[in-house]
């Protein structure tokens, strides 16, 4: 035992990702005295600009968008009481297939070894007991999410650290509810075509394969506020339409699959730090 606080490190791709899938755990564990470290890999420059202007449209300025999103990220960190924010500041690669995937300096074009070495330095500095990132497909195939997984797993190999490692996931039962809820709050939303519906059905994991179910309902208000801090990003509006109470009912539990562990804590578990305290 040491006086060093338990430490959680979440490795995310863009500003706002920290709120969507891990805002609850970041707020909960911060309240429990855990040091919470957020690593954001890209500058978010492929996000929406002021007024909702999209990448590639006239008036979209990636540099200005990145500056705006940095401010929003800091406000989100304040809402979640995150201890430490580290930004790798790679250029946002955009969605899979966009020309920005191939831009020099984009995260997707960065050699994994290079990104991993920078992240390994941060791991050595903070010595996390738990590391959270995306699965190998970046949850839904976003190139920057995939790259975040790659550099995280490679960085762990570069250190002698043995943290518990988790990938974010969603139980398929919740994914079905998500689709129903989206239609409830977006009345003009068309039904997906069969191919799209089949692809959506494969996102996440069967419920029985989810190893870790963390109840952060008591902190869902902070999670809502963190997401609201990223007001420039139109995709967040759906969640905010729910209002805090409904949002907490739907988004209060966060789920993960444990991929590395030396504690032998039994699964399913309800605490990322099970076996560590």
């Amino acid at each position: 035992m040491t006086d060093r606080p338990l430490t959680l490190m979440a490795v995310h791709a863009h500003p706002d990702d920290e709120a969507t899938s891990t805002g609850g755990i970041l707020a909960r564990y911060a309240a429990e005295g855990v040091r919470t470290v957020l690593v954001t890999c890209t500058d978010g420059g492929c996000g929406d600009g002021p007024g909702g202007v999209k990448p590639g449209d006239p008036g979209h300025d990636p540099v200005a968008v990145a500056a705006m999103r940095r401010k929003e990220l800091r406000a989100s960190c304040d809402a979640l009481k995150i201890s430490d924010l580290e930004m790798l500041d790679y250029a946002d690669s955009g969605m899979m297939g966009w020309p920005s995937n191939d831009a020099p300096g984009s995260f997707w074009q960065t050699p994994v070894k290079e990104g991993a070495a920078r992240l390994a330095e941060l791991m050595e500095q903070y010595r996390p007991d738990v590391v959270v990132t995306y699965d190998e497909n970046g949850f839904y195939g976003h190139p920057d999410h995939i790259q975040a997984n790659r550099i995280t797993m490679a960085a762990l190999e570069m250190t002698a650290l043995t943290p518990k490692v988790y990938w974010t996931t969603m139980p398929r039962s919740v994914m079905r509810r998500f689709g129903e809820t989206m239609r409830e709050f977006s009345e003009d939303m068309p039904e997906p075509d069969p191919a799209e519906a089949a692809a959506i059905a494969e996102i996440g994991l069967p419920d029985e394969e989810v190893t870790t179910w963390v109840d952060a309902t008591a902190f869902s208000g902070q999670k809502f506020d963190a997401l609201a801090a990223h007001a420039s990003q139109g995709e967040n509006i759906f969640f905010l339409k729910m209002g805090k109470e409904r949002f907490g009912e739907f988004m209060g539990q966060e789920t993960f699959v444990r991929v590395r562990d030396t504690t032998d804590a039994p699964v399913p578990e309800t605490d990322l730090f099970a076996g560590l305290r």
Side-chain angles (χ1 to χ4, degrees):
M1 299 294 291
T2 70
D3 293 332
R4 184 181 67 85
L6 289 170
T7 300
L8 166 66
M9 175 179 282
V11 182
H12 280 293
H14 313 97
D16 82 357
D17 290 332
E18 79 291 337
T20 309
S21 59
T22 59
I25 60 164
L26 287 164
R28 170 181 161 168
Y29 289 121
E32 293 179 5
V34 172
R35 186 176 196 180
T36 50
V37 181
L38 171 62
V39 180
T40 301
C41 296
T42 80
D43 61 10
C46 285
D48 294 350
V53 62
K54 301 295 183 183
D57 288 349
H60 186 276
D61 180 354
V63 175
V65 170
M68 173 181 65
R69 298 195 72 185
R70 181 185 291 270
K71 291 179 181 178
E72 292 178 334
L73 178 59
R74 294 193 182 282
S76 173
C77 289
D78 288 344
L80 299 173
K81 309 300 183 188
I82 290 172
S83 308
D84 300 272
L85 170 63
E86 298 284 354
M87 296 193 70
L88 299 185
D89 263 340
Y90 290 109
D92 190 339
S93 309
M95 299 296 286
M96 190 67 81
W98 287 13
S100 49
N101 294 174
D102 301 321
S106 72
F107 191 37
W108 188 237
Q109 289 299 314
T110 299
V112 170
K113 187 175 181 180
E114 175 190 321
R118 293 183 62 194
L119 182 57
E121 287 185 10
L122 293 175
M123 289 180 174
E124 294 283 9
Q125 175 184 341
Y126 290 107
R127 306 191 70 78
D129 302 282
V130 170
V131 173
V132 176
T133 192
Y134 316 98
D135 64 22
E136 292 164 311
N137 189 47
F139 186 60
Y140 66 97
H142 193 295
D144 288 331
H145 291 217
I146 294 170
Q147 190 76 329
N149 167 277
R150 290 174 177 172
I151 73 163
T152 300
M153 303 312 290
L156 288 163
E157 295 299 327
M158 294 178 177
T159 75
L161 303 173
T162 57
K164 296 177 79 176
V165 180
Y166 294 88
W167 294 344
T168 58
T169 193
M170 188 76 78
R172 296 222 172 116
S173 63
V174 176
M175 285 299 299
R176 288 191 292 272
R177 284 177 49 218
F178 180 69
E180 295 166 359
T181 305
M182 283 192 73
R183 283 187 285 276
E184 176 185 345
F185 284 92
S186 304
E187 295 177 0
D188 58 347
M189 178 181 171
E191 289 288 334
D193 63 46
E196 183 182 356
I200 292 172
E202 293 301 311
I203 294 175
L205 289 174
D207 289 31
E208 63 273 14
E209 293 181 23
V210 175
T211 64
T212 311
W213 307 67
V214 181
D215 182 5
T217 306
F219 302 93
S220 61
Q222 287 174 249
K223 180 174 179 173
F224 184 95
D225 291 342
L227 200 59
H230 297 283
S232 69
Q233 302 311 299
E235 66 267 20
N236 296 329
I237 301 304
F238 159 71
F239 294 105
L240 302 178
K241 282 181 180 179
M242 294 183 179
K244 281 191 175 181
E245 183 175 352
R246 189 71 185 277
F247 179 87
E249 293 172 1
F250 187 74
M251 299 287 285
Q253 186 175 67
E254 294 179 348
T255 47
F256 308 87
V257 58
R258 192 173 80 191
V259 294
R260 292 195 182 186
D261 172 62
T262 59
T263 68
D264 294 324
V267 293
E269 61 187 358
T270 59
D271 179 10
L272 298 178
F273 290 89
L276 295 171
R277 56 182 179 179

